[in-house]
Amino acid sequence: MDNMEIGIDSFASAMFGSNKLGSEEAMEQLLDRIVAADEAGLDIFGIGEHHKREFLDSAPAVILAAAAARTSGIRLTSAVTVLSTSDPVRVFQNFATLDIISKGRAEIVVGRGSATEAYPLFGYHLSDYDALFKEKLKLLLQIRDEEFITWSGKFRPELNNQPVYPRPLQEKLPVWLGAGGTPQSFVRAGMLGLPLMVAVIGGETERFRPLVDLYRRSGEEAGFKPEELKVGLHSPGYVGKDDKSAIADYFPGFLESWTKAGRERGWPPVTKAQFDAMIAPKGVLVVGGPETVVEKLLRHSEALGGVDRFTFQMDIAGLTHQQLMRSIELIGAEVVPQIKQKVNI
């Protein structure tokens, strides 16, 4: 690896507690942050997909298209598209259209989704969790590579020499595979030669090294070159002017949001001791002043054998728009230049 792209992923949160916003204001602020990230020189901005009251990202391609019209350099991606509950034809059409609007800056990160609300919403069964993804990913990649599609499967009506339009500006629309820790996902990405986006949201990042090695080994055995097997890392993070202020800004909202998530998923409440472990040098949270964040990103990259892309997830800790805008400014002004100096060629 001789390059590390830096970006941000957002779930289009409407915030919570004292910072809760109306949908219109929250969306306006989100688009302003994407513009700020573009102006600050960040490489990528991703929008997730959820179908919950507290997030506004159920149609990420629409948000990204609005952002495309207001930006010029930053690449725009999903983070992730829940492909298991989507029609691959429509996913491709949406992102091909985004690619045209953005003049060739669209990408897709596809995954099975860590939340399950999309399955009953769109009439699918969780028992088909992996079979759905496997079949739909195969179709999406065929559509990317071929204009006329002949295809049949279990979960969608067959296609007989059917063209899919529009075609994107990029010759090959980038499709990354998002993985959270299931070995078969890492093997699948490697066998298909797809760039891998690893979501590490708890514990220590280095514990994913065996899985990343499995991805690279699977890819090389399938005939792909090492430089084709890119690895991205997505983790919660926030950059403040120094460590003390960053932690003071981040901890209260982090505690509230993770305790709420824990109630939904059966986890115990988060403690300050756990938070301290997560912001420690090997911990997953990339929270601190610019120098601390740069050191941590370099450490994470070394621990995983090289990271080609890192994306901060910043808007799930109840931070205000002003705090997020300042963090984006610091990432662009201080983190990116140091990463370029120390890693990028």
Side-chain angles (χ1 to χ4, degrees):
M1 184 209 68
D2 56 12
N3 180 63
M4 187 194 297
E5 297 176 321
I6 303 292
I8 293 171
D9 289 333
S10 172
F11 296 164
S13 171
M15 309 306 177
F16 48 83
S18 59
N19 294 328
K20 186 164 179 62
L21 304 170
S23 298
E24 182 180 2
E25 187 178 9
M27 188 65 75
E28 183 178 0
Q29 290 183 358
L30 171 61
L31 292 171
D32 286 345
R33 291 196 293 276
I34 302 176
V35 171
D38 183 43
E39 293 174 347
L42 274 63
D43 297 293
I44 191 88
F45 205 107
I47 301 292
E49 180 189 336
H50 298 82
H51 303 272
K52 297 181 176 181
R53 176 190 290 270
E54 61 265 38
F55 300 125
L56 299 172
D57 60 348
S58 65
V62 178
I63 299 173
L64 293 168
R70 294 179 55 187
T71 56
S72 60
I74 197 164
R75 296 189 67 78
L76 301 166
T77 186
S78 58
V80 303
T81 293
V82 184
L83 189 61
S84 305
T85 59
S86 304
D87 180 355
V89 174
R90 290 302 277 160
V91 169
F92 182 85
Q93 290 175 324
N94 286 340
F95 281 86
T97 303
L98 172 65
D99 201 51
I100 294 167
I101 295 169
S102 66
K103 298 180 174 63
R105 293 183 283 130
E107 299 188 3
I108 313 174
V109 181
V110 296
R112 295 179 296 181
S114 60
T116 60
E117 70 274 0
Y119 288 82
L121 184 63
F122 296 110
Y124 293 102
H125 300 288
L126 271 173
S127 57
D128 295 322
Y129 186 75
D130 193 61
L132 279 163
F133 184 72
K134 184 177 180 181
E135 178 178 298
K136 293 189 175 198
L137 178 59
K138 184 177 180 181
L139 176 56
L140 178 67
L141 295 176
Q142 186 178 342
I143 295 169
R144 180 185 71 166
D145 296 339
E146 302 172 14
E147 186 173 335
F148 288 80
I149 306 299
T150 296
W151 176 91
S152 64
K154 178 180 177 182
F155 299 105
R156 190 199 186 285
E158 65 181 23
L159 296 163
N160 294 303
N161 199 37
Q162 186 71 42
V164 178
Y165 300 120
R167 306 307 296 180
L169 290 186
Q170 295 177 86
E171 184 176 347
K172 200 165 187 176
L173 190 66
V175 176
W176 293 61
L177 196 149
T182 308
Q184 67 192 75
S185 296
F186 289 77
V187 172
R188 178 182 288 137
M191 290 178 66
L192 294 170
L194 296 177
L196 177 74
M197 197 69 191
V198 187
V200 182
I201 60 174
E204 295 185 348
T205 300
E206 64 183 28
R207 68 192 170 94
F208 279 79
R209 178 61 183 266
L211 292 170
V212 172
D213 287 346
L214 182 62
Y215 160 70
R216 291 188 171 115
R217 191 163 59 249
S218 299
E220 289 175 17
E221 288 174 358
F224 295 99
K225 298 175 182 177
E227 59 268 24
E228 294 179 274
L229 301 170
K230 293 183 178 181
V231 175
L233 176 61
H234 157 108
S235 291
Y238 173 70
V239 182
K241 70 178 191 295
D242 53 45
D243 291 355
K244 185 177 179 180
S245 63
I247 292 166
D249 287 349
Y250 192 84
F251 177 67
F254 174 85
L255 182 66
E256 183 179 345
S257 65
W258 281 83
T259 299
K260 180 178 183 293
R263 283 197 300 268
E264 293 175 355
R265 300 191 185 192
W267 304 336
V270 176
T271 65
K272 180 63 163 65
Q274 287 173 314
F275 177 79
D276 289 341
M278 292 171 83
I279 62 170
K282 291 185 178 182
V284 66
L285 291 182
V286 185
V287 175
E291 291 75 20
T292 296
V293 165
V294 169
E295 289 173 9
K296 195 157 196 177
L297 291 181
L298 295 176
R299 192 179 298 112
H300 282 350
S301 181
E302 183 179 0
L304 295 180
V307 168
D308 300 279
R309 174 178 293 179
F310 179 81
T311 55
F312 292 86
Q313 166 50 268
M314 292 200 299
D315 66 357
I316 55 170
L319 296 159
T320 66
H321 177 59
Q322 290 72 27
Q323 288 171 322
L324 292 169
M325 288 286 275
R326 177 59 181 157
S327 191
I328 290 168
E329 184 181 325
L330 286 167
I331 293 168
E334 299 193 34
V335 174
V336 169
Q338 290 189 57
I339 291 290
K340 284 183 177 178
Q341 182 183 4
K342 296 179 180 182
V343 178
N344 297 358
I345 296 174

